Amino acid sequence: MSSAGPRPPHTPRPKDDKQSFHYIIRSGIAGGTAGCIAKTVVAPLDRVKILFQASSPEFQKYAGTWSGAFRAASQIYQDNGARGLLQGHSATLLRIFPYAAIKFIAYDQVEHILMPTRESQTNARRFAAGAISGMVSVFFTYPLELIRVRMAFSTRAQSVQVPHTFHPPQSSPPHRPSFLAAMSQIYHEGASAPPHSASGSANNIFTRVPVVKFYRGFSVTLVGIVPYAGTSFLTWGFLQAYFAPPPDPTSPSARRRPSPLADLTFGAVAGAVSQTVSYPFEVVRRRMQVGGLTHPERWMHWSETVRNVWATRGWKGFYVGLSIGYLKIVPMTAVSFTVWQWGKRVLGV
């Protein structure tokens, strides 16, 4: 049976259409791979930084100096070997792939909506696109981040503090909690707390909805991700537009891409700026995330955590571990942005 007229030719959506399924999937693969590679590069420094931020008693003597970070890493290596430096990294990879994939996908989509043309690109819109993408990715992956921090925070010394057990410190085995063990510990925290304690309402919520326990520190994380992700993408986008603007499609001779060295440089600067702006939020977040270990009987709100940090070390307490933070974030962000761009080019997006 013939049709009434000629059928219009099918024109598939172009590969560079940012809202096409092809683009979204490949952009996510590029972003997730970039996040995993970048995190692996700095995994030992990441563990040391968590121990500093969360005020692990065993490692506070090293905090505050660049050399202290390396001495702390040396002690971890002597106690637990290379596995100690990578403790919690399995949970990191399990979290970072979806986190980075969602973040970069969200950024591409929001950028397409807010800045569809070169003329519409402004610093305010770059910041907004980065902040929105960061909040979306954090919302979906935060429980994995909490488990990862708990695994990294655990040390051999803590294995002797488990109730109803006793192991002499000199003979205690290295404490390497598994992913499932850390998850189970978080799930059962506060189960023995009195129902009418000072934080009874929070404990009742934990009893009725145990999944809430996996969102310790989520509110301050959501607040902190705005300046971190926003500033990171703002700096990256500004440097790209100023030093390596996209080629003019009407001028074939002007077509060029930023070199990997340029990508690394732009990413490093973006990492340094964003880390400086958002670091106090990160310190408060780490303290809240390990609150179930230091105060298992109750929920510590972010305001109480801020007061505790201030009472202990003043304003400097909000910048504990910042030096190692630079040592970690600068190369991590540089590698992340560079691999993301390289992956997109390889995958044709």
Side-chain angles (χ1 to χ4, degrees):
M1 185 174 180
S2 61
S3 58
R7 179 176 298 177
H10 174 68
T11 55
R13 304 184 76 173
K15 293 172 68 176
D16 59 352
D17 180 357
K18 289 192 174 184
Q19 293 184 323
S20 68
F21 181 77
H22 173 278
Y23 189 100
I24 291 173
I25 292 299
R26 298 201 176 194
S27 176
I29 293 174
T33 302
C36 289
I37 293 175
K39 273 291 188 178
T40 301
V41 169
V42 298
L45 293 173
D46 195 25
R47 188 176 183 217
V48 173
K49 192 184 77 166
I50 289 175
L51 293 171
F52 284 179
Q53 288 178 330
S55 294
S56 173
E58 191 177 354
F59 290 90
Q60 275 305 291
K61 59 186 176 183
Y62 300 123
T65 64
W66 291 77
S67 60
F70 291 100
R71 292 202 301 271
S74 177
Q75 179 179 331
I76 295 173
Y77 182 80
Q78 291 175 2
D79 292 342
N80 300 320
R83 290 182 60 187
L85 293 172
L86 297 176
Q87 184 168 304
H89 189 56
S90 59
T92 297
L93 295 180
L94 186 63
R95 163 195 168 265
I96 200 61
F97 188 91
Y99 171 83
I102 293 171
K103 180 180 71 173
F104 285 119
I105 289 174
Y107 180 79
D108 277 337
Q109 297 304 307
V110 176
E111 181 190 41
H112 178 71
I113 295 172
L114 296 181
M115 298 174 285
T117 64
R118 188 181 306 180
E119 292 72 23
S120 63
Q121 294 180 354
T122 65
N123 288 335
R125 291 178 180 179
R126 292 187 184 107
F127 182 91
I132 293 172
S133 66
M135 289 190 292
V136 170
S137 58
V138 163
F139 178 80
F140 285 104
T141 61
Y142 188 80
L144 294 173
E145 161 71 0
L146 178 61
I147 295 171
R148 193 268 303 194
V149 170
R150 290 297 187 84
M151 292 176 68
F153 181 74
S154 297
T155 63
R156 183 175 63 179
Q158 291 170 347
S159 65
V160 304
Q161 298 174 1
V162 179
H164 311 299
T165 62
F166 175 77
H167 298 284
Q170 64 272 17
S171 61
S172 60
H175 184 56
R176 299 191 187 98
S178 68
F179 181 88
L180 293 178
M183 181 187 296
S184 176
Q185 182 183 37
I186 295 171
Y187 185 86
H188 292 96
E189 281 173 358
S192 60
H196 301 293
S197 61
S199 57
S201 59
N203 289 329
N204 289 335
I205 294 175
F206 287 165
T207 302
R208 295 195 302 268
V209 190
V211 72
V212 175
K213 299 174 185 178
F214 291 91
Y215 281 84
R216 284 182 182 268
F218 178 72
S219 59
V220 72
T221 299
L222 204 58
V223 173
I225 199 64
V226 171
Y228 177 78
T231 304
S232 180
F233 279 102
L234 162 63
T235 307
W236 164 265
F238 172 79
L239 293 175
Q240 284 272 45
Y242 189 83
F243 292 103
D248 184 356
T250 63
S251 178
S253 61
R255 292 184 180 179
R256 59 188 177 85
R257 297 182 184 274
S259 67
L261 180 59
D263 286 337
L264 283 169
T265 303
F266 299 158
V269 175
V273 174
S274 59
Q275 179 77 344
T276 303
V277 170
S278 64
Y279 197 78
F281 295 98
E282 187 174 352
V283 170
V284 175
R285 172 168 62 104
R286 295 298 191 210
R287 291 291 187 91
M288 294 183 69
Q289 287 174 333
V290 301
L293 295 176
T294 57
H295 299 281
E297 76 286 353
R298 62 189 181 88
W299 176 277
M300 287 188 64
H301 294 279
W302 69 268
S303 57
E304 181 182 0
T305 305
V306 169
R307 290 195 299 269
N308 287 346
V309 174
W310 179 269
T312 303
R313 305 191 64 171
W315 68 268
K316 293 182 179 179
F318 295 99
Y319 290 93
V320 171
L322 179 58
S323 58
I324 192 175
Y326 285 133
L327 201 60
K328 170 206 163 189
I329 287 294
V330 170
M332 187 187 77
T333 309
V335 171
S336 179
F337 275 116
T338 303
V339 176
W340 175 48
Q341 292 296 303
W342 173 81
K344 290 174 69 174
R345 293 165 191 158
V346 170
L347 295 174
V349 292

